[in-house]
Amino acid sequence: MTDGRSPAPLLTDLTSAQVTDAVRGRTVVWPVGAIEQHGPHLPLSVDLILAEGFAEGIARELDAFVLPAQAVGARSLPQSGGGLHFPGTVYVAGDTLVRFLRETLSALAALPMGRLVVVNGHYENEPFLFEALDQVREQGLFDGAEVFAFSWWSLVRDTWAATEIPAFPGWHAEHAGVTETSLMLHLRPDLVTDERPDHDDPPRAGIYLHPVDVGQTTHRGVLSSTSGSSAGLGERLLRHVVDEATALVRDGSGLLFAQSRPDRHPDRSPGRRPDRASDHRPDPRPDRSPDRSADRAPEPGGAGPGADLRAPDHRPDAQRRTAVHAEGNQQ
């Protein structure tokens, strides 16, 4: 982002002696991108630069550390990235990417961070990233920490896209199109050429074809239209996604235990929510409710006032939390 603010601190600028205490309970943001062709007007580094740009904005809002971006991603596909028919794309096979991401995440889990946020900038990365995260989760390596992972376009609201991009073709076909061109015009205009190629017949999503006629699925590596691209649109899109990501992380949307977190209370205004995952401040107000346990009759069987007569719950913690969540919704 080019607003003159200080950049988010890089995790890699810390020494080995500093890193443990520095990240304890803090948020770490990791951008994941790719090296992929993006038509004749954009550089091979688009997915990398955009992931870094969103990660930087999110990290600054959350007072977080940011990691250097992962540059090599999954294979480009014809229906979403133009495929391998254009020079410059560098990729690894899906199983290799899953293993790399899993081992990197496992190493990161050794740090006492409170929260990891992974920002994906390459369409084809998403299933492999989520698979790696699930494998790490199953090993219990992030127990006690929160993990958020998303592709930046997944946070763009439909109403925003409908207003700002009237001829929106769908995110699978927004390859080298109006959104990526606009974001690059905002973040790195020096890397954008003057050409604005359009493809009038964007490919449909979820279809695998062999053989592929790249003359039909793309126009020189562009899957949709670049018409209407501007630095202003890119700036608004970047701000929109950063705001949505910050709200998602702060509110804990979708997390089972979010309701029990002091920094996730729905009644608090966004400005009062702590940014650090470890900042769980106790309620300073004293409990003024009178203790009426002495007024109650003894429980059957000689149990004292207020005794919990339920059978012990030996289920794992995750099952108990899920059950409590479900029971609370039934009341």
Side-chain angles (χ1 to χ4, degrees):
M1 299 174 73
T2 56
D3 55 8
R5 296 168 58 188
S6 298
L10 269 172
L11 183 74
T12 49
D13 285 347
L14 298 169
T15 68
S16 178
Q18 295 170 333
V19 66
T20 298
D21 288 338
V23 305
R24 191 180 306 279
R26 296 281 296 277
T27 299
V28 175
V29 185
W30 184 28
V32 177
I35 301 171
E36 182 187 32
Q37 74 82 27
H38 278 77
H41 64 303
L42 296 176
L44 302 173
S45 56
V46 167
D47 292 349
L48 189 61
I49 291 172
L50 299 191
E52 289 175 327
F54 287 115
E56 170 71 19
I58 294 166
R60 291 195 304 190
E61 293 297 324
L62 297 176
D63 187 25
F65 287 98
V66 66
L67 281 163
Q70 163 60 22
V72 178
R75 178 195 306 264
S76 177
L77 298 177
Q79 303 292 96
S80 54
L84 304 179
H85 303 275
F86 303 91
T89 298
V90 179
Y91 69 96
V92 294
D95 56 349
T96 302
L97 183 60
V98 169
R99 179 178 177 182
F100 173 85
L101 293 171
R102 182 184 68 238
E103 295 187 3
T104 303
L105 290 163
S106 298
L108 287 172
L111 295 173
M113 69 183 77
R115 180 190 295 138
L116 175 67
V117 179
V118 186
V119 183
N120 176 45
H122 179 53
Y123 192 88
E124 288 87 347
N125 278 348
E126 187 174 288
F128 305 109
L129 172 61
F130 289 0
E131 173 66 21
L133 284 162
D134 248 2
Q135 291 183 15
V136 173
R137 177 189 57 79
E138 289 172 351
Q139 297 173 19
L141 296 181
F142 276 104
D143 286 355
E146 295 178 344
V147 178
F148 294 81
F150 47 80
S151 300
W152 65 260
W153 52 88
S154 298
L155 299 187
V156 179
R157 292 187 178 271
D158 292 342
T159 51
W160 192 96
T163 301
E164 295 280 357
I165 319 168
F168 182 62
W171 288 113
H172 73 286
E174 248 306 304
H175 180 79
V178 63
T179 58
E180 289 190 321
T181 303
S182 295
L183 286 164
M184 288 298 294
L185 284 170
H186 172 55
L187 291 170
R188 290 297 306 273
D190 56 308
L191 297 180
V192 183
T193 73
D194 293 333
E195 292 192 69
R196 293 294 179 270
D198 286 340
H199 183 54
D200 297 328
D201 188 19
R204 295 162 63 185
I207 299 175
Y208 184 91
L209 300 174
H210 176 76
V212 174
D213 182 354
V214 294
Q216 291 187 353
T217 57
T218 80
H219 174 58
R220 301 169 67 195
V222 178
L223 272 65
S224 57
S225 175
T226 62
S227 298
S229 303
S230 69
L233 175 59
E235 182 177 13
R236 294 192 299 276
L237 177 54
L238 184 67
R239 185 71 260 167
H240 173 68
V241 171
V242 168
D243 287 345
E244 291 293 320
T246 304
L248 172 73
V249 173
R250 282 178 170 160
D251 292 341
S253 302
L255 298 183
L256 280 177
F257 56 94
Q259 59 183 351
S260 65
R261 293 288 298 274
D263 61 341
R264 301 291 165 79
H265 197 285
D267 294 333
R268 291 187 181 179
S269 63
R272 295 188 61 187
R273 291 192 186 102
D275 287 340
R276 298 186 182 182
S278 62
D279 194 358
H280 302 159
R281 299 184 178 91
D283 190 342
R285 296 170 297 180
D287 184 2
R288 301 185 183 278
S289 58
D291 182 3
R292 302 189 182 278
S293 59
D295 299 336
R296 293 197 296 269
E299 302 289 351
D308 189 349
L309 301 179
R310 294 173 296 179
D313 191 344
H314 298 296
R315 291 173 294 178
D317 288 345
Q319 293 182 18
R320 287 203 300 272
R321 283 198 299 268
T322 304
V324 170
H325 181 71
E327 290 164 7
N329 290 337
Q330 293 171 2
Q331 293 178 356

